[in-house]
Amino acid sequence: MRTFFVETYGCQMNQHDSELIEGQLRRQGLEPAPAVGEADLVVLNTCSVRDKPVQKIISRIGALGRLNPAATIGICGCVAEQEAERLLDRSPAVGFVIGPGQTARIREAVRALTQGERPVLTGFDAESEHGFTTIFRKSETRGMVTVIEGCNEFCTFCIVPYTRGRESSRRLTEILDEIRDLASSGVREVELLGQTINAYRCPESGAGLATLLEAAAGVEGLLRVRFITSHPRHFGQDLIDVIAGHPKVFRYLHLPIQSGADPVLARMHRRYTRAEYLELVGRIRRAAPDINLSTDIIVGFPGETEDDFAATIDVLERVRFGQVFAFGFSPRPRTPAARYRPRVAEEVVSDRLQRLFAVTDRISRELNEELVGRVVEVLIDGDSRRDPTHWQGRGEDNRVVNFPKTGREAVGDVVEVAVERAGAHSLAGTISGGAVRLPVIAP
Ligand code: SAM
Ligand code: SF4
Ligand code: F3S
């Protein structure tokens, strides 16, 4: 076995786990293959948050058998934890199954594989810890850093506590070492990761996210610090104060509400009310008026009435989120909501989703239009997806900005862009100020 290819599905935690997988495989002497069809080992790092992504993985296993019949397939991520041994029956090409709590043991699995075994590593234990130096980072400008693993919330619809285990916070000193290491290698923006990141508590000092964020923002050489995902239930005033007061903390906050109707929120076991959420948003906005908020919505949760849905739309109109991620409810194995009745009919769910997107697209376009004529500071990420003569980057509040290259700037630079046009999902403009190339801090 000489070469590998990793395909990643799902959230930032999986994106980051794939960096660990790649780092471990490279350490073992494997090389990345230029295309999936040419790899000896194909790793699928999977997501099971809804049924659709799981079905995608099942059909991908079949398709890989035709595309690259000689390859061994390794299944990692949340479907691996959920399905475990059953994945071995899907295809003889499946050589190992590794759940998110065991990702760091991939080298052990590859060794077992070469001895003719088909290891299945799932569950959660302290042994699966890894050093951050084995991570192979994909981006030169952005670095992801795990702050807290797992989730204790047990929202009734969600599979994550079952696939990612209970909450476990890393030590603050270890997190800061990793951030300093990133800054010294030229990374400009750090993204702190956790499913309920504001439940973070350092096991050594008891420090919370506000303290961590402030310390991270103080690391020399870093331009921006962002964090995802916050639960509305754990959002303290100390965190609001750091967001409002620290110029390096990103002007963007993802704060999933899931529904705007109290009866639905109660059945979801979210443990906040619509009024409490709106009050929190009010406090955040008063302290940091320039903050760009985004949210997640589940449409068609069992028992959701037309009035409940109207209450969700009403919250969207009141808060005016820059971005909304909305999905139809998908029953997940082992979760209480999978047994809740009545289910909302599929046609009703898709009709509600369409109505919701009409509202959210209008609002985000209106918010983007407010920036036309203004100058925004953009960190260049790479080529624009549609046009290689243009750059794509993100403003300080996470908005995507596309603009023509001038030949004088590079990835990782910060430029001032005069915004000329706005769509629902991005801004377009031209560079108005020179590129700022920040000095790399010597380690
Ligand atoms: N930890 C985050 C939070 O508290 O909101 C969310 C994590 S989850 C991986 C991402 C999003 O997937 C959720 O916010 C929710 O909107 C959606 N989701 C989770 N389970 C779902 C289900 N069974 N059906 C539809 N959407 C679901
Ligand atoms: Fe899932 Fe709820 Fe935990 Fe988010 S807070 S990961 S939605 S159980
Ligand atoms: Fe999916 Fe697992 Fe993330 S279910 S959204 S990959 S935590």
PDB file of all heavy atoms in Angstrom, residues 403-428:
ATOM      1  N   PHE A 403     -12.817  39.457  -6.102  1.00  0.00           N
ATOM      2  CA  PHE A 403     -12.293  40.680  -6.731  1.00  0.00           C
ATOM      3  C   PHE A 403     -11.135  40.316  -7.664  1.00  0.00           C
ATOM      4  O   PHE A 403     -10.446  39.307  -7.458  1.00  0.00           O
ATOM      5  CB  PHE A 403     -11.828  41.685  -5.660  1.00  0.00           C
ATOM      6  CG  PHE A 403     -10.957  41.063  -4.607  1.00  0.00           C
ATOM      7  CD1 PHE A 403      -9.576  41.141  -4.701  1.00  0.00           C
ATOM      8  CD2 PHE A 403     -11.509  40.392  -3.526  1.00  0.00           C
ATOM      9  CE1 PHE A 403      -8.767  40.554  -3.730  1.00  0.00           C
ATOM     10  CE2 PHE A 403     -10.711  39.803  -2.556  1.00  0.00           C
ATOM     11  CZ  PHE A 403      -9.336  39.881  -2.659  1.00  0.00           C
ATOM     12  N   PRO A 404     -10.902  41.139  -8.726  1.00  0.00           N
ATOM     13  CA  PRO A 404      -9.852  40.815  -9.694  1.00  0.00           C
ATOM     14  C   PRO A 404      -8.453  40.901  -9.088  1.00  0.00           C
ATOM     15  O   PRO A 404      -8.190  41.753  -8.243  1.00  0.00           O
ATOM     16  CB  PRO A 404     -10.006  41.885 -10.786  1.00  0.00           C
ATOM     17  CG  PRO A 404     -11.242  42.639 -10.482  1.00  0.00           C
ATOM     18  CD  PRO A 404     -11.645  42.364  -9.072  1.00  0.00           C
ATOM     19  N   LYS A 405      -7.574  39.995  -9.531  1.00  0.00           N
ATOM     20  CA  LYS A 405      -6.174  40.032  -9.084  1.00  0.00           C
ATOM     21  C   LYS A 405      -5.470  41.220  -9.744  1.00  0.00           C
ATOM     22  O   LYS A 405      -5.797  41.565 -10.877  1.00  0.00           O
ATOM     23  CB  LYS A 405      -5.458  38.746  -9.523  1.00  0.00           C
ATOM     24  CG  LYS A 405      -6.012  37.487  -8.878  1.00  0.00           C
ATOM     25  CD  LYS A 405      -5.320  36.235  -9.407  1.00  0.00           C
ATOM     26  CE  LYS A 405      -5.889  34.991  -8.738  1.00  0.00           C
ATOM     27  NZ  LYS A 405      -5.345  33.733  -9.258  1.00  0.00           N
ATOM     28  N   THR A 406      -4.502  41.809  -9.053  1.00  0.00           N
ATOM     29  CA  THR A 406      -3.728  42.883  -9.693  1.00  0.00           C
ATOM     30  C   THR A 406      -2.300  42.419  -9.978  1.00  0.00           C
ATOM     31  O   THR A 406      -1.531  43.124 -10.618  1.00  0.00           O
ATOM     32  CB  THR A 406      -3.642  44.133  -8.781  1.00  0.00           C
ATOM     33  OG1 THR A 406      -2.790  43.823  -7.683  1.00  0.00           O
ATOM     34  CG2 THR A 406      -4.996  44.588  -8.289  1.00  0.00           C
ATOM     35  N   GLY A 407      -1.926  41.237  -9.425  1.00  0.00           N
ATOM     36  CA  GLY A 407      -0.554  40.750  -9.621  1.00  0.00           C
ATOM     37  C   GLY A 407       0.377  41.160  -8.494  1.00  0.00           C
ATOM     38  O   GLY A 407       1.527  40.748  -8.439  1.00  0.00           O
ATOM     39  N   ARG A 408      -0.102  42.007  -7.597  1.00  0.00           N
ATOM     40  CA  ARG A 408       0.777  42.491  -6.513  1.00  0.00           C
ATOM     41  C   ARG A 408       0.477  41.837  -5.157  1.00  0.00           C
ATOM     42  O   ARG A 408       1.161  42.099  -4.193  1.00  0.00           O
ATOM     43  CB  ARG A 408       0.647  44.012  -6.383  1.00  0.00           C
ATOM     44  CG  ARG A 408       1.255  44.781  -7.552  1.00  0.00           C
ATOM     45  CD  ARG A 408       1.259  46.272  -7.289  1.00  0.00           C
ATOM     46  NE  ARG A 408      -0.082  46.824  -7.157  1.00  0.00           N
ATOM     47  CZ  ARG A 408      -0.861  47.155  -8.181  1.00  0.00           C
ATOM     48  NH1 ARG A 408      -0.432  46.990  -9.423  1.00  0.00           N
ATOM     49  NH2 ARG A 408      -2.069  47.648  -7.977  1.00  0.00           N
ATOM     50  N   GLU A 409      -0.564  40.994  -5.109  1.00  0.00           N
ATOM     51  CA  GLU A 409      -0.922  40.413  -3.810  1.00  0.00           C
ATOM     52  C   GLU A 409      -0.901  38.877  -3.902  1.00  0.00           C
ATOM     53  O   GLU A 409      -0.861  38.325  -4.990  1.00  0.00           O
ATOM     54  CB  GLU A 409      -2.290  40.918  -3.334  1.00  0.00           C
ATOM     55  CG  GLU A 409      -3.462  40.597  -4.225  1.00  0.00           C
ATOM     56  CD  GLU A 409      -3.509  41.390  -5.521  1.00  0.00           C
ATOM     57  OE1 GLU A 409      -3.144  42.565  -5.530  1.00  0.00           O
ATOM     58  OE2 GLU A 409      -3.898  40.794  -6.542  1.00  0.00           O
ATOM     59  N   ALA A 410      -0.941  38.223  -2.726  1.00  0.00           N
ATOM     60  CA  ALA A 410      -0.852  36.759  -2.680  1.00  0.00           C
ATOM     61  C   ALA A 410      -1.789  36.206  -1.609  1.00  0.00           C
ATOM     62  O   ALA A 410      -2.323  36.964  -0.790  1.00  0.00           O
ATOM     63  CB  ALA A 410       0.588  36.356  -2.366  1.00  0.00           C
ATOM     64  N   VAL A 411      -1.958  34.880  -1.627  1.00  0.00           N
ATOM     65  CA  VAL A 411      -2.762  34.208  -0.607  1.00  0.00           C
ATOM     66  C   VAL A 411      -2.203  34.541   0.779  1.00  0.00           C
ATOM     67  O   VAL A 411      -0.991  34.542   0.972  1.00  0.00           O
ATOM     68  CB  VAL A 411      -2.731  32.673  -0.826  1.00  0.00           C
ATOM     69  CG1 VAL A 411      -3.340  31.927   0.353  1.00  0.00           C
ATOM     70  CG2 VAL A 411      -3.450  32.297  -2.112  1.00  0.00           C
ATOM     71  N   GLY A 412      -3.075  34.864   1.721  1.00  0.00           N
ATOM     72  CA  GLY A 412      -2.624  35.188   3.082  1.00  0.00           C
ATOM     73  C   GLY A 412      -2.462  36.685   3.298  1.00  0.00           C
ATOM     74  O   GLY A 412      -2.307  37.134   4.429  1.00  0.00           O
ATOM     75  N   ASP A 413      -2.493  37.468   2.202  1.00  0.00           N
ATOM     76  CA  ASP A 413      -2.422  38.922   2.354  1.00  0.00           C
ATOM     77  C   ASP A 413      -3.789  39.465   2.774  1.00  0.00           C
ATOM     78  O   ASP A 413      -4.827  38.857   2.516  1.00  0.00           O
ATOM     79  CB  ASP A 413      -2.046  39.592   1.023  1.00  0.00           C
ATOM     80  CG  ASP A 413      -0.566  39.433   0.707  1.00  0.00           C
ATOM     81  OD1 ASP A 413       0.188  39.034   1.609  1.00  0.00           O
ATOM     82  OD2 ASP A 413      -0.176  39.695  -0.446  1.00  0.00           O
ATOM     83  N   VAL A 414      -3.732  40.646   3.354  1.00  0.00           N
ATOM     84  CA  VAL A 414      -4.972  41.343   3.696  1.00  0.00           C
ATOM     85  C   VAL A 414      -5.072  42.551   2.777  1.00  0.00           C
ATOM     86  O   VAL A 414      -4.105  43.313   2.650  1.00  0.00           O
ATOM     87  CB  VAL A 414      -4.946  41.806   5.161  1.00  0.00           C
ATOM     88  CG1 VAL A 414      -6.180  42.607   5.499  1.00  0.00           C
ATOM     89  CG2 VAL A 414      -4.823  40.608   6.079  1.00  0.00           C
ATOM     90  N   VAL A 415      -6.211  42.710   2.110  1.00  0.00           N
ATOM     91  CA  VAL A 415      -6.365  43.847   1.191  1.00  0.00           C
ATOM     92  C   VAL A 415      -7.650  44.598   1.509  1.00  0.00           C
ATOM     93  O   VAL A 415      -8.581  44.034   2.086  1.00  0.00           O
ATOM     94  CB  VAL A 415      -6.407  43.390  -0.290  1.00  0.00           C
ATOM     95  CG1 VAL A 415      -5.053  42.936  -0.762  1.00  0.00           C
ATOM     96  CG2 VAL A 415      -7.435  42.294  -0.495  1.00  0.00           C
ATOM     97  N   GLU A 416      -7.676  45.854   1.110  1.00  0.00           N
ATOM     98  CA  GLU A 416      -8.918  46.613   1.242  1.00  0.00           C
ATOM     99  C   GLU A 416      -9.649  46.538  -0.081  1.00  0.00           C
ATOM    100  O   GLU A 416      -9.061  46.800  -1.139  1.00  0.00           O
ATOM    101  CB  GLU A 416      -8.590  48.058   1.593  1.00  0.00           C
ATOM    102  CG  GLU A 416      -8.096  48.182   3.014  1.00  0.00           C
ATOM    103  CD  GLU A 416      -7.907  49.621   3.446  1.00  0.00           C
ATOM    104  OE1 GLU A 416      -7.835  50.510   2.575  1.00  0.00           O
ATOM    105  OE2 GLU A 416      -7.841  49.846   4.660  1.00  0.00           O
ATOM    106  N   VAL A 417     -10.910  46.156  -0.033  1.00  0.00           N
ATOM    107  CA  VAL A 417     -11.689  46.001  -1.260  1.00  0.00           C
ATOM    108  C   VAL A 417     -12.893  46.942  -1.212  1.00  0.00           C
ATOM    109  O   VAL A 417     -13.635  46.956  -0.219  1.00  0.00           O
ATOM    110  CB  VAL A 417     -12.163  44.530  -1.418  1.00  0.00           C
ATOM    111  CG1 VAL A 417     -13.053  44.373  -2.649  1.00  0.00           C
ATOM    112  CG2 VAL A 417     -10.976  43.582  -1.502  1.00  0.00           C
ATOM    113  N   ALA A 418     -13.061  47.726  -2.291  1.00  0.00           N
ATOM    114  CA  ALA A 418     -14.239  48.585  -2.396  1.00  0.00           C
ATOM    115  C   ALA A 418     -15.368  47.735  -2.975  1.00  0.00           C
ATOM    116  O   ALA A 418     -15.248  47.178  -4.071  1.00  0.00           O
ATOM    117  CB  ALA A 418     -13.934  49.762  -3.319  1.00  0.00           C
ATOM    118  N   VAL A 419     -16.458  47.603  -2.223  1.00  0.00           N
ATOM    119  CA  VAL A 419     -17.551  46.720  -2.646  1.00  0.00           C
ATOM    120  C   VAL A 419     -18.396  47.431  -3.701  1.00  0.00           C
ATOM    121  O   VAL A 419     -18.836  48.568  -3.509  1.00  0.00           O
ATOM    122  CB  VAL A 419     -18.422  46.322  -1.435  1.00  0.00           C
ATOM    123  CG1 VAL A 419     -19.572  45.430  -1.871  1.00  0.00           C
ATOM    124  CG2 VAL A 419     -17.573  45.638  -0.368  1.00  0.00           C
ATOM    125  N   GLU A 420     -18.596  46.730  -4.849  1.00  0.00           N
ATOM    126  CA  GLU A 420     -19.359  47.336  -5.955  1.00  0.00           C
ATOM    127  C   GLU A 420     -20.702  46.657  -6.200  1.00  0.00           C
ATOM    128  O   GLU A 420     -21.645  47.268  -6.668  1.00  0.00           O
ATOM    129  CB  GLU A 420     -18.511  47.277  -7.241  1.00  0.00           C
ATOM    130  CG  GLU A 420     -17.337  48.251  -7.185  1.00  0.00           C
ATOM    131  CD  GLU A 420     -16.169  47.840  -8.075  1.00  0.00           C
ATOM    132  OE1 GLU A 420     -16.263  46.786  -8.741  1.00  0.00           O
ATOM    133  OE2 GLU A 420     -15.168  48.572  -8.072  1.00  0.00           O
ATOM    134  N   ARG A 421     -20.756  45.340  -5.916  1.00  0.00           N
ATOM    135  CA  ARG A 421     -21.999  44.592  -6.163  1.00  0.00           C
ATOM    136  C   ARG A 421     -22.248  43.620  -5.014  1.00  0.00           C
ATOM    137  O   ARG A 421     -21.302  43.156  -4.364  1.00  0.00           O
ATOM    138  CB  ARG A 421     -21.892  43.781  -7.472  1.00  0.00           C
ATOM    139  CG  ARG A 421     -21.889  44.636  -8.729  1.00  0.00           C
ATOM    140  CD  ARG A 421     -21.791  43.775  -9.986  1.00  0.00           C
ATOM    141  NE  ARG A 421     -20.709  42.807  -9.969  1.00  0.00           N
ATOM    142  CZ  ARG A 421     -19.438  43.093 -10.168  1.00  0.00           C
ATOM    143  NH1 ARG A 421     -19.077  44.341 -10.417  1.00  0.00           N
ATOM    144  NH2 ARG A 421     -18.510  42.156 -10.135  1.00  0.00           N
ATOM    145  N   ALA A 422     -23.533  43.276  -4.832  1.00  0.00           N
ATOM    146  CA  ALA A 422     -23.875  42.343  -3.753  1.00  0.00           C
ATOM    147  C   ALA A 422     -24.883  41.320  -4.241  1.00  0.00           C
ATOM    148  O   ALA A 422     -25.831  41.658  -4.953  1.00  0.00           O
ATOM    149  CB  ALA A 422     -24.457  43.122  -2.583  1.00  0.00           C
ATOM    150  N   GLY A 423     -24.654  40.056  -3.899  1.00  0.00           N
ATOM    151  CA  GLY A 423     -25.644  39.008  -4.142  1.00  0.00           C
ATOM    152  C   GLY A 423     -26.119  38.488  -2.783  1.00  0.00           C
ATOM    153  O   GLY A 423     -25.723  39.018  -1.744  1.00  0.00           O
ATOM    154  N   ALA A 424     -26.925  37.412  -2.811  1.00  0.00           N
ATOM    155  CA  ALA A 424     -27.414  36.873  -1.542  1.00  0.00           C
ATOM    156  C   ALA A 424     -26.282  36.197  -0.771  1.00  0.00           C
ATOM    157  O   ALA A 424     -26.302  36.138   0.448  1.00  0.00           O
ATOM    158  CB  ALA A 424     -28.549  35.892  -1.791  1.00  0.00           C
ATOM    159  N   HIS A 425     -25.281  35.673  -1.511  1.00  0.00           N
ATOM    160  CA  HIS A 425     -24.265  34.874  -0.827  1.00  0.00           C
ATOM    161  C   HIS A 425     -22.844  35.413  -0.919  1.00  0.00           C
ATOM    162  O   HIS A 425     -21.929  34.830  -0.356  1.00  0.00           O
ATOM    163  CB  HIS A 425     -24.318  33.423  -1.347  1.00  0.00           C
ATOM    164  CG  HIS A 425     -25.698  32.844  -1.239  1.00  0.00           C
ATOM    165  ND1 HIS A 425     -26.251  32.522  -0.028  1.00  0.00           N
ATOM    166  CD2 HIS A 425     -26.644  32.596  -2.173  1.00  0.00           C
ATOM    167  CE1 HIS A 425     -27.482  32.081  -0.231  1.00  0.00           C
ATOM    168  NE2 HIS A 425     -27.746  32.124  -1.523  1.00  0.00           N
ATOM    169  N   SER A 426     -22.633  36.492  -1.679  1.00  0.00           N
ATOM    170  CA  SER A 426     -21.272  37.042  -1.767  1.00  0.00           C
ATOM    171  C   SER A 426     -21.282  38.492  -2.223  1.00  0.00           C
ATOM    172  O   SER A 426     -22.293  39.015  -2.696  1.00  0.00           O
ATOM    173  CB  SER A 426     -20.428  36.207  -2.729  1.00  0.00           C
ATOM    174  OG  SER A 426     -20.950  36.313  -4.029  1.00  0.00           O
ATOM    175  N   LEU A 427     -20.084  39.109  -2.074  1.00  0.00           N
ATOM    176  CA  LEU A 427     -19.886  40.495  -2.512  1.00  0.00           C
ATOM    177  C   LEU A 427     -18.840  40.504  -3.621  1.00  0.00           C
ATOM    178  O   LEU A 427     -17.990  39.608  -3.683  1.00  0.00           O
ATOM    179  CB  LEU A 427     -19.354  41.340  -1.352  1.00  0.00           C
ATOM    180  CG  LEU A 427     -20.194  41.402  -0.083  1.00  0.00           C
ATOM    181  CD1 LEU A 427     -19.375  42.011   1.053  1.00  0.00           C
ATOM    182  CD2 LEU A 427     -21.448  42.222  -0.317  1.00  0.00           C
ATOM    183  N   ALA A 428     -18.877  41.522  -4.485  1.00  0.00           N
ATOM    184  CA  ALA A 428     -17.844  41.660  -5.518  1.00  0.00           C
ATOM    185  C   ALA A 428     -17.354  43.099  -5.511  1.00  0.00           C
ATOM    186  O   ALA A 428     -18.120  44.032  -5.252  1.00  0.00           O
ATOM    187  CB  ALA A 428     -18.424  41.311  -6.886  1.00  0.00           C
TER     188      ALA A 428
END
